[in-house]
Amino acid sequence: MQSYTIGQAARLLGVSPDTARRWADAGRVATHRDDAGRRLIDGRDLAAFSVELAQQADGGQEPARTSVRNAFPGIVTAVKLGDVAAQVEIQAGPHRLVSLVTREAVEELGLEVGAEAVARVKSTNVHIDRP
């Protein structure tokens, strides 16, 4: 399972590293230390936390009007595999993106809950890249 540093988690959540560090210090998201002593967040924990943050941010408010497009770096929060097709959900900061791709693409990219991914939007198509 992939783990993320505080800085990587902050980038994926769309906040500053200081904010991510404060959330970790307050116990809002679990961390552990690697052999070098860096604080890491398990990918599954970060995925769950990103969904929780997005739900809190929504708060029943009308979404902001925007023409957001292009690249949305985020974290995979759900993968539903079919025989041929798959549905991949990515939380990119406050944005939830869902893409239908082939099962083969999911397997080739190694997409799983907690994996870092980038959703790229062109017109009505969403393409997923994995760094």
Side-chain angles (χ1 to χ4, degrees):
M1 172 51 59
Q2 186 166 351
S3 292
Y4 298 91
T5 65
I6 295 290
Q8 290 170 322
R11 182 175 52 79
L12 293 170
L13 295 171
V15 299
S16 72
D18 286 337
T19 297
R21 195 171 295 109
R22 281 193 297 274
W23 286 339
D25 290 344
R28 290 188 63 188
V29 62
T31 63
H32 62 278
R33 296 209 181 257
D34 66 5
D35 294 337
R38 295 181 306 165
R39 288 172 53 177
L40 300 176
I41 301 170
D42 179 75
R44 288 190 183 275
D45 291 339
L46 185 59
F49 184 64
S50 69
V51 170
E52 176 187 325
L53 283 178
Q55 289 170 345
Q56 290 173 359
D58 182 27
Q61 298 175 6
E62 185 176 328
R65 293 182 180 184
T66 181
S67 62
V68 175
R69 59 190 176 274
N70 300 325
F72 293 85
I75 187 166
V76 176
T77 56
V79 177
K80 296 177 186 167
L81 293 174
D83 291 337
V84 177
Q87 179 179 313
V88 179
E89 183 176 313
I90 295 175
Q91 192 70 43
H95 308 289
R96 176 180 165 264
L97 297 112
V98 178
S99 180
L100 296 176
V101 297
T102 64
R103 180 184 183 115
E104 181 181 12
V106 168
E107 292 168 351
E108 285 179 6
L109 291 171
L111 296 174
E112 61 182 15
V113 173
E116 182 177 1
V118 178
R120 296 195 186 273
V121 178
K122 171 80 172 156
S123 184
T124 60
N125 297 312
V126 176
H127 304 265
I128 299 175
D129 299 338
R130 179 128 190 246

